[in-house]
Amino acid sequence: MEDHSIRIEKQNAPSQLHFAPVFNVAIHFIDRHLKEGRANKLAIRSDAGDVTYGQLAANVNRAANALRSLGIVPGQRMLMVVKDCAEFFYLFWGAIKAGVVPVPLNTLLRAGDYAYMIEDSGCAAFVYSQEFAAECEAALAAAKSRPQHVFKVAAFSELASNAGDQFTAHPATATSECFWNYSSGSTGRPKGTVHCHRDIPITAQCYAVDVIGAKESDVFFSAAKLFFAYGMGNGMTFPLWVGGTAVLLEPRPTPESTFAAIEKFKPTLYFGVPTLYAAQLASMETTKPDLSSIRYCVSAGEALPADIFRRWKEATGLDILDGIGSTEALHIFISNRPNDISPGTSGRIVPGYEARIVSEDGKIQPPGESGKLHIRGLSTAVYYWNQPEKTKDTMLGDGWLNTGDTYIMTQDGHFQYCGRSDDMMKVGGIWCSPFEIEAKLVEHPKVLEAAIVGRGDDDGLVKPEAWIVLKDQRDSSENTEAELREHCKKGLAPYKYPRWFHFVEELPKTATGKIQRFKLRQH
Ligand code: 3UK
């Protein structure tokens, strides 16, 4: 029996994690709990029912056996378009235990996005929830390569239910490839971001335990979904690290659905994104949800405006801890923390990570000067699949990662977000590329040219705004606006449609024909 253990040294900050030479992260996050007496403790709670740690471990083993029996071998990828449910855990951890690389995908994407990811990943298996069948099946039909194994979650569960509930973990190491997430860039296609086994415990200890003080008695509820690295930490790997309980919400996170889940399952830690906090605040003008179980609220995905922090504190008495994380870093690396909150900033560096602010000409900036934020820490992705150029631009060597964000560090070590170094936007905490929306708009027969910029709404949260040159100026009407909005909603992930439209005679351009988005932003 191989060791697979982690030794944690906690005398100093940051905590030091020491991994056994043979290390499969599934042992520590799943099997360990049985040895530590949690077999009957609830690991997962949702409207679909409760799952104990004992049931979780058995179902993870069944999933691992099922994958093995299909002939899927270590190192092969399994794409998952799966809603937040217990089966997500079984598939994800079952794959890891068998050495198969799970790749959770954003469930809001469209067929074209999935077709690309099927081809790019060269996956051996593709698993999807019934709810996403239309887009997934269209993607499978359109993709140039078809994965050998395609399953709906229910069919996979059926197969797994007949498999054995014991499984010997694949002998991985702390730094071998474990799972991927896809991350979108401003240009080009999404990048398969490759993470190692150790990245999961590093984020759980350095951020969840050492910064927010997560512990065994905590009940974690993440409005951000599991497919998102933020949600995966909050709603799955953090509770499994401390032996706590995860609450899963299947439907779309709205003020109503999230408040209902909080009142029913009484989480102690709540994880949201700024747009949802803003919507929840608006809804609290007429409802008074019982949030008394919550110790701390966390926000990430995009900057939390100071005004939302203050209004939330006033309405609920609770602090929101804003922190910046990324798919590449796996989770939060700069954060506000209990009793040390500076509203409107991202807070201080998380112990275990280092940050530097770098000028255009590559010099390290002193406090008070803005520049590109680079970070270093043991949870960062090693490379992007199939994208050596983008890997070189982001993974800078010596462990440093270029975040693509512009930041200022204040004299007292707080980090102030100043915007992206590229044209990317965050909408509801999820990436949105102006180029992708523009490309969709110009597909419409009435559109000659289109430019997208981010514009702050009444809550100070960014949404796409469209500037459009029509082929025939006489078409500029509310009808055309409605048509274009529908066209975007149909062809793009739903959060990406423009909220405002301006019809103009021409777009501001440079001498070389590049759209000057900054000029549009000034309007
Ligand atoms: C932006 C923020 C200001 C920033 C994420 C927590 O968002 C996550 O990952 P993504 O790869 O995006 C990363 C980019 O999003 N951002 C995130 N949080 C903040 N900007 N303030 C913030 N608090 O541009 C960053 O580079 O989608 C967040 C944990 C895990 C994650 N993957």
Side-chain angles (χ1 to χ4, degrees):
M1 187 50 189
E2 244 118 23
D3 180 6
H4 296 283
S5 67
I6 307 179
R7 190 166 56 76
I8 308 163
E9 255 178 68
K10 246 202 106 168
Q11 287 91 327
N12 308 310
S15 302
Q16 302 279 320
L17 270 57
H18 302 275
F19 299 94
V22 172
F23 178 75
N24 184 316
V25 69
I27 300 290
H28 201 86
F29 280 71
I30 304 291
D31 301 66
R32 170 180 55 105
H33 298 295
L34 306 189
K35 277 208 207 124
E36 295 183 358
R38 289 186 199 91
N40 295 319
K41 176 168 180 174
L42 295 184
I44 306 171
R45 305 201 62 198
S46 76
D47 283 336
D50 295 340
V51 177
T52 65
Y53 273 99
Q55 291 166 328
L56 172 62
N59 282 322
V60 165
N61 285 343
R62 290 190 184 103
N65 277 315
L67 291 171
R68 213 27 90 69
S69 72
L70 292 168
I72 303 175
V73 300
Q76 286 185 314
R77 274 78 55 202
M78 174 181 78
L79 301 197
M80 301 170 52
V81 186
V82 177
K83 65 186 179 188
D84 280 19
C85 59
E87 287 76 13
F88 187 110
F89 281 51
Y90 310 157
L91 280 158
F92 184 85
W93 293 102
I96 290 176
K97 201 161 177 188
V100 175
V101 178
V103 187
L105 304 184
N106 180 342
T107 59
L108 301 169
L109 298 180
R110 299 299 188 208
D113 303 308
Y114 296 134
Y116 170 76
M117 290 164 180
I118 290 168
E119 291 165 12
D120 177 62
S121 65
C123 58
F126 185 92
V127 189
Y128 60 100
S129 300
Q130 172 60 35
E131 285 80 352
F132 314 119
E135 300 292 337
C136 290
E137 286 162 14
L140 288 159
K144 287 192 207 87
S145 53
R146 190 181 162 87
Q148 234 182 324
H149 306 281
V150 174
F151 282 101
K152 284 190 192 166
V153 169
F156 184 83
S157 301
E158 175 73 29
L159 180 77
S161 67
N162 296 315
D165 63 3
Q166 299 295 314
F167 189 86
T168 304
H170 175 69
T173 69
T175 53
S176 59
E177 192 170 321
C178 182
F179 69 100
W180 307 356
N181 283 119
Y182 269 94
S183 176
S184 326
S186 60
T187 53
R189 294 300 201 153
K191 298 156 288 190
T193 307
V194 178
H195 278 288
C196 301
H197 284 255
R198 73 170 176 195
D199 302 359
I200 294 176
I202 295 284
T203 57
Q205 182 66 25
C206 293
Y207 171 71
V209 174
D210 290 350
V211 170
I212 55 175
K215 50 184 191 284
E216 188 174 353
S217 56
D218 275 320
V219 177
F220 298 69
F221 173 43
S222 177
K225 298 290 179 197
L226 297 172
F227 65 72
F228 191 30
Y230 176 48
M232 184 185 123
N234 309 333
M236 184 166 75
T237 63
F238 297 170
L240 295 181
W241 174 248
V242 295
T245 300
V247 169
L248 300 182
L249 175 70
E250 220 183 89
R252 210 165 65 83
T254 59
E256 296 71 36
S257 66
T258 50
F259 287 151
I262 292 169
E263 292 185 335
K264 180 166 176 189
F265 296 111
K266 308 208 177 330
T268 56
L269 296 170
Y270 169 59
F271 302 82
V273 295
T275 31
L276 182 58
Y277 283 112
Q280 288 175 318
L281 276 168
S283 127
M284 276 194 269
E285 286 170 16
T286 50
T287 54
K288 195 90 199 95
D290 175 8
L291 308 182
S292 59
S293 61
I294 301 174
R295 286 199 293 133
Y296 285 108
C297 302
V298 172
S299 176
E302 60 185 311
L304 180 75
D307 188 51
I308 296 186
F309 173 87
R310 276 193 278 271
R311 282 160 54 210
W312 185 262
K313 176 97 187 177
E314 220 173 82
T316 67
L318 290 165
D319 285 325
I320 305 180
L321 306 174
D322 183 16
I324 173 176
S326 72
T327 305
E328 288 79 359
L330 189 54
H331 215 278
I332 290 173
F333 48 81
I334 290 175
S335 184
N336 286 284
R337 63 203 65 192
N339 305 318
D340 180 14
I341 301 176
S342 172
T345 80
S346 308
R348 297 178 198 278
I349 192 81
V350 169
Y353 294 84
E354 298 164 79
R356 66 184 188 200
I357 310 263
V358 183
S359 69
E360 281 305 323
D361 52 2
K363 293 206 185 65
I364 304 219
Q365 296 283 52
E369 301 283 331
S370 74
K372 292 181 180 161
L373 173 68
H374 295 176
I375 60 130
R376 177 156 77 173
L378 295 177
S379 65
T380 60
V382 266
Y383 68 101
Y384 295 128
W385 178 254
N386 266 344
Q387 307 231 31
E389 287 304 313
K390 296 219 159 120
T391 298
K392 215 170 69 210
D393 293 343
T394 303
M395 289 83 179
L396 303 173
D398 222 7
W400 287 97
L401 188 81
N402 180 6
T403 62
D405 296 298
T406 302
Y407 262 88
I408 292 177
M409 191 182 81
T410 61
Q411 289 291 350
D412 59 358
H414 287 105
F415 285 81
Q416 175 76 54
Y417 180 66
C418 310
R420 291 287 302 170
S421 321
D422 53 27
D423 287 309
M424 290 294 277
M425 297 174 261
K426 275 309 195 74
V427 179
I430 314 185
W431 279 130
C432 211
S433 158
F435 307 104
E436 185 191 0
I437 307 171
E438 289 162 8
K440 182 52 65 184
L441 280 165
V442 299
E443 279 176 12
H444 192 281
K446 288 186 183 165
V447 175
L448 182 64
E449 280 187 299
I452 294 287
V453 294
R455 166 125 5 235
D457 65 10
D458 293 343
D459 291 310
L461 297 167
V462 170
K463 303 283 182 307
E465 175 185 61
W467 295 78
I468 299 211
V469 182
L470 291 168
K471 286 182 188 154
D472 185 342
Q473 299 280 328
R474 284 166 301 185
D475 282 331
S476 63
S477 64
E478 276 178 22
N479 273 351
T480 303
E481 189 177 318
E483 258 177 54
L484 295 180
R485 189 176 297 122
E486 269 322 292
H487 174 74
C488 288
K489 280 190 173 175
K490 250 189 18 223
L492 298 168
Y495 49 90
K496 294 177 180 169
Y497 75 92
R499 311 301 197 271
W500 306 277
F501 285 84
H502 304 278
F503 297 112
V504 290
E505 278 174 37
E506 57 182 356
L507 296 173
K509 298 216 179 114
T510 63
T512 55
K514 200 170 182 296
I515 296 171
Q516 292 169 304
R517 290 191 183 71
F518 71 93
K519 286 204 174 152
L520 296 171
R521 275 187 216 113
Q522 286 160 2
H523 275 276

